[in-house]
Amino acid sequence: MTEILQKLDPALIDRFAAIVGDKYALRDEQDIAPYLIERRGLWHGATSLVLRPGSVDEVSRIMRLATETGTPVVPQSGNTGLVGAQVPDRSGREIILSLSRLNRIREIDVLSNTVTAEAGVILQTLQEAADAADRLFPLSLAAQGSCQIGGNLSSNAGGTGVLAYGNARELCLGVEVVLPTGEVFDDLRKLKKDNTGYDLKDLFVGAEGTLGIITAAVLKLFPKPKGREVAFAGLSSAEAALSLFSLAMDRAGASLTAFELIGKRPYDFTLRHGQGVVRPLADDWPWYVLMQVSSGRSEADGRELIEEVLADGLEQGIVGDAVVAASLAQGDAFWNFRETLPECQKPEGASIKHDISVPIASIPRFIEEAAGAVASVSAGARVVCFGHMGDGNLHYNISRPVDGDDEAFLALYHPMNKAVHDVVRSFHGSISAEHGIGQLKRDELIATAPPMAIDLMRRVKAAFDPAGIMNPGKVI
């Protein structure tokens, strides 16, 4: 555990602990340790106290005391974030507020197609509850077995379903938020149409816990598709993948529910290091696409749609080879390949990651220009490109050269970031498509965003959190 530079007053710790009870006020170093690191190991925070409230009232009382005493609070859900927003600083002054005990699904309304869930509900648990009610909750992430709804909303999570269903913000109809003052903003409404003033919920979704603590939300559900067809295709270029996407949108329209682009290198890494993965195609290709078509009418309709897309793609020379899953199990295996892929970069040594988005039509040119930018920083560095082509979001990661040194490569972190992000900006793209800003990209955001945008964000922050106690040092 990181050495605490400035311990909290024991009397203050006792006051906070009295709100949740000693059982849910973690003070022991071993108990606290898992809350102080994140999955990439980039940040190691310090704190004397982790609070695990079990009700909205307890969260409110914690924040009232925090405001009274000027104690900074770091909200944390499943601790699966990738930009350090959930990790405290190293001062020891901040306390962690874990939302994991707020884990009730309060209501599923199948007529309104909504679910009201608390912030600590695990995403996969919510998916399963929706499925049991013959509905679909479409947010789908690699970390869905451990990430929680509060964190999904606070980071405006994306994932593989954004093409058809939108990101977390678009799936959210209403929120319940505890403000830094301890006041509770109850906006748990199910309305799809509501033009009564500012849409306040959107300030909290994507704010990474800097404006308040989301304790519950009303989320959209959808009818379960009657048919889901999954295919894996091999292509000669990113341009061909873009042509296939255009063809698929033209033929399938709203039934196209996923379109994932995978470069040869991450494909090979997954075959080399993935546990339990099966090679989708017999031959190797420079690029691959994982495509899903969902039909609200029947399995046969979904099958006909996806086969029509691929047949036209083969006939036009866009697709080199393709296979449509012959069963649900094979379709799940294709998705398992994609979901296993991100972790398979780790065994290849140090990496520098970029979560970017550009206009869909610009993806092939971005890939070409970014490769040149990478080579200018580190000759021999290996581009590991994959992502959600259907919504313009690429994970443009860079692994160190084969015989390179991890430490020496990571020393290039900032020049590599700048080189890649400069290309992103030249296409009017975003340096954070779905992971957020947190600590990782805070300084770059401040340095490169339009000054007026930063000024407006700071005004919003000051209005909601004038004492500066709400997840300080994150975003702006």
Side-chain angles (χ1 to χ4, degrees):
M1 180 173 170
T2 303
E3 181 183 356
I4 297 177
L5 303 179
Q6 182 180 343
K7 290 191 176 183
L8 293 173
D9 180 357
L12 178 59
I13 291 176
D14 288 342
R15 292 180 68 188
F16 277 114
I19 296 172
V20 299
D22 285 337
K23 180 179 178 180
Y24 299 112
L26 308 184
R27 313 187 202 199
D28 181 79
E29 289 189 2
Q30 288 187 324
D31 293 336
I32 289 174
Y35 296 86
L36 300 179
I37 58 173
E38 44 75 55
R39 61 193 304 179
R40 290 181 181 172
L42 296 178
W43 292 277
H44 298 265
T47 188
S48 302
L49 183 65
V50 174
L51 297 173
R52 301 183 62 229
S55 69
V56 176
D57 179 65
E58 289 182 356
V59 176
S60 173
R61 290 164 60 196
I62 289 167
M63 293 313 304
R64 285 203 300 270
L65 180 56
T67 292
E68 175 193 331
T69 58
T71 306
V73 176
V74 178
Q76 189 177 110
S77 289
N79 196 14
T80 59
L82 298 174
V83 293
Q86 75 278 28
V87 180
D89 66 17
R90 300 168 70 93
S91 71
R93 293 184 58 251
E94 301 176 353
I95 64 172
I96 294 175
L97 191 155
S98 168
L99 293 155
S100 60
R101 290 183 61 221
L102 273 69
N103 58 6
R104 290 188 305 126
I105 295 176
R106 296 182 185 176
E107 180 194 46
I108 293 180
D109 182 344
V110 294
L111 294 178
S112 298
N113 277 315
T114 63
V115 56
T116 304
E118 294 181 343
V121 174
I122 293 172
L123 174 55
Q124 185 171 318
T125 300
L126 183 56
Q127 293 168 339
E128 292 168 353
D131 185 70
D134 199 34
R135 291 293 183 268
L136 170 72
F137 183 64
L139 185 63
S140 181
L141 310 169
Q144 62 195 29
S146 55
C147 66
Q148 297 170 10
I149 293 301
N152 297 152
L153 291 170
S154 293
S155 61
N156 189 26
T160 57
V162 173
L163 166 63
Y165 302 104
N167 53 24
R169 177 175 281 117
E170 292 170 278
L171 294 172
C172 182
L173 292 171
V175 293
E176 175 186 80
V177 180
V178 176
L179 301 177
T181 57
E183 298 166 286
V184 179
F185 172 54
D186 184 348
D187 191 37
L188 291 175
R189 293 186 285 181
K190 305 175 183 179
L191 305 178
K192 291 187 176 179
K193 288 186 174 181
D194 179 13
N195 281 342
T196 52
Y198 302 130
D199 195 343
L200 295 173
K201 73 176 185 298
D202 280 349
L203 286 172
F204 299 102
V205 178
E208 302 182 46
T210 61
L211 302 180
I213 299 173
I214 296 174
T215 51
V218 178
L219 304 165
K220 296 178 185 177
L221 297 177
F222 297 83
K224 283 171 62 176
K226 300 289 192 301
R228 183 197 73 157
E229 299 296 329
V230 185
F232 223 105
L235 306 102
S236 60
S237 65
E239 289 83 357
L242 182 61
S243 296
L244 179 60
F245 175 69
S246 178
L247 177 64
M249 286 295 292
D250 183 55
R251 299 289 190 275
S255 295
L256 182 66
T257 50
F259 197 94
E260 298 289 296
L261 180 68
I262 303 171
K264 185 177 187 302
R265 184 166 284 120
Y267 180 90
D268 290 345
F269 284 179
T270 305
L271 290 177
R272 189 179 306 160
H273 304 295
Q275 296 295 314
V277 298
V278 178
R279 175 184 284 272
L281 295 173
D283 295 328
D284 290 335
W285 293 90
W287 292 91
Y288 301 87
V289 161
L290 173 63
M291 179 170 58
Q292 178 174 287
V293 168
S294 302
S295 171
R297 291 182 287 191
S298 67
E299 290 183 13
D301 180 61
R303 189 81 177 186
E304 183 179 342
L305 273 173
I306 204 165
E307 287 180 347
E308 178 186 343
V309 169
L310 293 173
D312 286 354
L314 287 162
E315 182 178 342
Q316 295 177 31
I318 296 170
V319 177
D321 189 16
V323 59
V324 179
S327 64
L328 287 174
Q330 189 176 17
D332 289 343
F334 287 169
W335 274 113
N336 179 62
F337 188 98
R338 169 62 182 86
E339 289 161 1
T340 301
L341 184 154
E343 297 301 314
C344 294
Q345 191 176 359
K346 285 184 179 179
E348 295 290 328
S351 62
I352 299 172
K353 300 179 186 292
H354 307 92
D355 163 45
I356 64 93
S357 61
V358 295
I360 295 169
S362 300
I363 285 177
R365 286 195 299 133
F366 165 79
I367 290 172
E368 180 182 359
E369 292 186 24
V374 168
S376 71
V377 176
S378 174
R382 296 169 290 168
V383 174
V384 182
C385 180
F386 62 95
H388 321 300
M389 189 174 199
D391 58 41
N393 173 201
L394 295 178
H395 300 294
Y396 194 82
N397 302 338
I398 318 297
S399 284
R400 64 156 170 77
V402 173
D403 297 321
D405 176 75
D406 282 355
E407 189 173 343
F409 183 69
L410 291 176
L412 299 173
Y413 186 90
H414 292 296
M416 186 69 78
N417 263 189
K418 183 179 186 307
V420 172
H421 289 166
D422 282 350
V423 179
V424 172
R425 281 186 281 268
S426 75
F427 286 98
H428 303 286
S430 169
I431 64 170
S432 182
E434 62 179 2
H435 293 164
I437 297 297
Q439 302 179 60
L440 179 66
K441 300 179 181 179
R442 177 195 60 209
D443 293 344
E444 184 174 4
L445 174 69
I446 293 169
T448 60
M452 178 56 76
I454 296 299
D455 181 58
L456 288 173
M457 283 189 271
R458 284 177 168 156
R459 291 189 211 178
V460 171
K461 170 71 170 171
F464 280 92
D465 182 26
I469 63 167
M470 199 75 260
N471 210 11
K474 316 295 170 53
V475 184
I476 55 170

